Amino acid sequence: MTSSQFSFRTVPEMHDSPFSSGAATPRTPHPQYRPAKSLPYELREHCLIYFEEGLYSQALNLLLNLTTAGGSTSSTKPAFIPPPHHLALISTLAVHPSLTTRAKTAEKLEAANLAIKYLAFVNRTVGPMNANVQDAFVFLGPGTSSRRGGASRRTTGGNVSPEKEDFEIIDVELANVSSLWARAEDFWHVVGWGFNCSVVHKKRWERWQMWLEYMVGVLEDDWWMRPAGEQGNSLIVKYLNAEDHGTVGEKRIVRAIFADGSPRSLAEFKEVWSNETRERKTNTKADIVKKGTMKINIEEGEYGDYMQSSEDELEDDVVAESVINPHLKSDSTTPRIDGSLLLGSSPALQLRLRLVAILVLVAKELPDKFVSYPNLCDIYITHIRPLPLPTFSLLLSPPYLRFLQLGEQSDLVQYIASSFISTSAPRMKFDDVDQDILERCVLPWPANTTSIDDNAKLGACVETLLRLFNNVAGLQWTHRLQICAEQGIKAREGNATHRRKRKGEAGSGAGTESDRAWLETSGKRILGVLEMAKQKRK
């Protein structure tokens, strides 16, 4: 097979490991996890007492020491892991406002940081299946009083059965009515609210980001470590099946992934805890966290400038407001560099795409458990197609698409391109892409409307398809390829005569120059890809 007759399907599957740099790597067998071992009764009793007395840091340090005993993840020695309802409480501690944005003491904030560190360490050490997250991370729904269906208050002394201790509750509100698992409707409620925070509640997002990074990593690992035929029992399928069957549930799931902080999105995906975004007022210089910005790195115990009292907070609020209301921004003909802002920061956009990729896996492997792959792509298009140009272009750029398998990257871009391209263009097949298909069906065509926005978005799709093909197979520069590319650039620029007015805008001309700049820039980048191919030919 020559590079001009290349199939993305011939490339090995790709998989990202959680808390990695995000770069896709060839799919490999799951890591050699250590086996898990239940806590002995005496140690479990110590942890329960710590939890019920609110001594969370002491309980978590004890658990960390117990889990680390025995060596690295390559060790075959079993690691002590607490029962599921302990893990559920620890997950709540990692994100609850009373230990994070409204923490009154450094010890409480330390407990939240230890909680997310411990969860990540357990996932890396024993994996989600050995840790029994299936039983730990169960959404019970608002108003639920107990994770154990009315289990009795824990007692101490000789009347306690060590074998039954795992099934008794921890007598604290954060393990019951105030737990994450009792407050949230389901996983997608948390996803939607978390991503809403990434846009309009930046302080809360700092904590939800950590939690979502952990949970998405768990979902990925849980899926990939299961042998073929058993993925129907995975945690992601469990969360999908918690939804009502039908397009309404499927669409709500995707709406959660693309939650953007708009009034409609905030109304659908509300805060998990009452007044969750309210922050504790601090008037002294001795703040809970030392002022300064640090990189968030859960593995290294770095949690950023969380809870800092900063003079930049007002500026952050202005930035957030300008993102929600683009007309507040100063006019500029230069395309905005960070197009992810309307869907949150770059880490938020990456998490969104990791969830997109997980759903694609389920749709392709287990459509009866969720929805068919083509139908899922149709739902994705309804959310991606209307995005503003900066966000659209960034979302469909190869660095962000890397979370999908190569064939799926091509599929998604082709699906979106086909929704924009002229009806006169030959129809593409969504199985393979070769250079002839690019030259006949993609490169020379304008959009099916005269909108500058649509033509620029089609240009972004054309550029991405060229880059994907060039990165994997290598474009073979020819005069025909050059002519087709130049013809398409000219056709799109000539076809783009007006700017579609966006909802909420006072007029249609405010961003015309900016949109046209995006269109012209996409043409220059396309020619740049061809120039690289031409130089390789020499």
Side-chain angles (χ1 to χ4, degrees):
M1 180 179 292
T2 65
S3 61
S4 61
Q5 297 174 318
F6 179 79
S7 170
F8 282 97
R9 310 296 170 189
T10 64
V11 178
E13 290 183 345
M14 312 295 281
H15 170 51
D16 275 316
S17 60
F19 302 111
S20 68
S21 62
T25 55
R27 182 182 175 186
T28 57
H30 64 78
Q32 184 61 50
Y33 293 119
R34 291 173 61 185
K37 184 177 181 180
S38 298
L39 285 178
Y41 168 69
E42 292 79 7
L43 293 175
R44 194 172 62 227
E45 184 77 0
H46 278 299
C47 291
L48 282 167
I49 292 172
Y50 282 143
F51 282 137
E52 292 192 345
E53 294 298 325
L55 303 174
Y56 303 129
S57 294
Q58 288 88 329
L60 290 163
N61 277 316
L62 173 59
L63 289 171
L64 272 169
N65 290 333
L66 291 170
T67 306
T68 55
S72 64
T73 55
S74 60
S75 172
T76 58
K77 184 177 181 179
F80 284 117
I81 300 299
H85 55 299
H86 285 212
L87 291 176
L89 170 59
I90 293 169
S91 180
T92 296
L93 298 179
V95 76
H96 195 275
S98 65
L99 279 79
T100 55
T101 42
R102 292 206 297 271
K104 295 181 179 180
T105 65
E107 184 179 1
K108 287 190 174 183
L109 183 59
E110 179 191 14
N113 292 339
L114 282 172
I116 196 68
K117 179 180 179 180
Y118 178 72
L119 291 171
F121 183 76
V122 167
N123 189 56
R124 188 176 71 250
T125 304
V126 302
M129 293 180 67
N130 291 341
N132 196 15
V133 297
Q134 286 270 8
D135 288 342
F137 300 157
V138 178
F139 287 91
L140 305 172
T144 307
S145 61
S146 170
R147 291 190 55 81
R148 295 294 163 186
S152 62
R153 165 73 164 85
R154 182 182 66 84
T155 59
T156 59
N159 294 329
V160 175
S161 170
E163 290 78 15
K164 294 182 179 180
E165 180 72 12
D166 288 351
F167 298 95
E168 296 184 354
I169 66 172
I170 304 173
D171 192 27
V172 292
E173 283 194 2
L174 292 182
N176 296 282
V177 293
S178 295
S179 76
L180 169 65
W181 313 100
R183 295 288 304 178
E185 296 175 24
D186 55 21
F187 177 68
W188 307 106
H189 172 196
V190 181
V191 168
W193 169 243
F195 285 138
N196 276 334
C197 289
S198 75
V199 181
V200 295
H201 300 298
K202 300 301 178 65
K203 287 295 181 183
R204 282 304 292 162
W205 169 242
E206 290 177 8
R207 186 55 59 169
W208 282 117
Q209 177 187 339
M210 297 182 200
W211 190 90
L212 284 173
E213 283 178 348
Y214 163 72
M215 281 300 298
V216 172
V218 166
L219 294 175
E220 290 170 337
D221 286 350
D222 182 60
W223 173 273
W224 287 111
M225 73 183 293
R226 293 177 182 273
E230 294 186 16
Q231 291 172 326
N233 298 320
S234 62
L235 187 59
I236 181 62
V237 171
K238 182 178 180 179
Y239 287 162
L240 291 172
N241 287 343
E243 281 292 316
D244 294 332
H245 292 290
T247 56
V248 174
E250 296 146 7
K251 290 179 179 178
R252 175 176 175 268
I253 287 168
V254 178
R255 286 199 301 271
I257 295 175
F258 287 93
D260 59 1
S262 64
R264 179 177 179 180
S265 184
L266 288 167
E268 181 171 17
F269 303 107
K270 299 179 175 67
E271 60 184 6
V272 175
W273 290 281
S274 298
N275 300 316
E276 181 181 332
T277 59
R278 184 182 300 167
E279 297 179 28
R280 191 176 76 88
K281 301 295 183 180
T282 56
N283 298 316
T284 65
K285 295 182 179 180
D287 294 325
I288 293 175
V289 175
K290 183 179 180 180
K291 183 177 179 180
T293 301
M294 298 184 296
K295 180 181 178 181
I296 293 176
N297 187 328
I298 294 172
E299 295 300 317
E300 299 298 327
E302 297 175 1
Y303 303 95
D305 53 349
Y306 201 71
M307 285 293 294
Q308 73 168 3
S309 177
S310 171
E311 295 178 357
D312 295 333
E313 288 178 1
L314 178 60
E315 181 180 349
D316 291 341
D317 291 339
V318 172
V319 172
E321 180 68 14
S322 66
V323 168
I324 302 170
N325 302 290
H327 57 273
L328 294 179
K329 297 179 70 65
S330 59
D331 292 335
S332 173
T333 59
T334 303
R336 203 172 69 201
I337 295 175
D338 187 0
S340 69
L341 286 178
L342 290 175
L343 289 179
S345 61
S346 179
L349 193 57
Q350 292 181 49
L351 281 168
R352 294 175 193 269
L353 284 168
R354 286 171 68 182
L355 286 168
V356 164
I358 295 172
L359 295 192
V360 166
L361 289 172
V362 179
K364 293 183 73 174
E365 298 294 332
L366 302 168
D368 58 316
K369 299 287 187 179
F370 181 40
V371 66
S372 70
Y373 179 46
N375 285 345
L376 179 61
C377 287
D378 288 338
I379 298 172
Y380 282 156
I381 287 175
T382 63
H383 289 270
I384 296 174
R385 199 179 189 277
L387 290 173
L389 262 169
T391 312
F392 180 93
S393 299
L394 191 63
L395 188 72
L396 293 187
S397 63
Y400 283 89
L401 288 175
R402 73 186 187 276
F403 298 105
L404 294 160
Q405 313 287 347
L406 281 170
E408 295 155 3
Q409 294 178 34
S410 176
D411 285 347
L412 182 60
V413 180
Q414 286 181 75
Y415 267 103
I416 295 172
S418 67
S419 73
F420 285 113
I421 206 162
S422 169
T423 55
S424 300
R427 296 294 92 184
M428 292 182 286
K429 293 182 179 180
F430 296 103
D431 294 323
D432 303 314
V433 174
D434 59 32
Q435 191 159 314
D436 178 66
I437 291 176
L438 290 174
E439 292 171 350
R440 290 187 301 105
C441 305
V442 181
L443 287 176
W445 300 100
N448 51 21
T449 73
T450 57
S451 162
I452 302 173
D453 185 84
D454 289 353
N455 281 274
K457 288 177 178 178
L458 177 58
C461 292
V462 171
E463 178 196 348
T464 296
L465 285 173
L466 282 173
R467 290 189 183 278
L468 289 174
F469 189 84
N470 188 52
N471 291 343
V472 176
L475 281 171
Q476 300 296 314
W477 186 89
T478 64
H479 287 289
R480 182 189 176 199
L481 179 69
Q482 188 76 28
I483 290 171
C484 288
E486 292 177 354
Q487 179 182 336
I489 293 169
K490 184 177 180 180
R492 288 186 290 275
E493 291 182 356
N495 188 49
T497 59
H498 78 281
R499 180 176 183 268
R500 183 182 294 114
K501 181 180 177 180
R502 297 192 180 107
K503 186 176 180 180
E505 288 184 338
S508 61
T512 301
E513 292 184 8
S514 177
D515 282 2
R516 188 166 290 281
W518 277 100
L519 175 60
E520 293 172 354
T521 301
S522 74
K524 293 176 182 177
R525 289 197 297 261
I526 289 171
L527 294 178
V529 175
L530 267 60
E531 182 61 27
M532 288 190 293
K534 186 176 182 180
Q535 293 299 323
K536 289 181 180 179
R537 185 187 180 191
K538 293 181 179 179

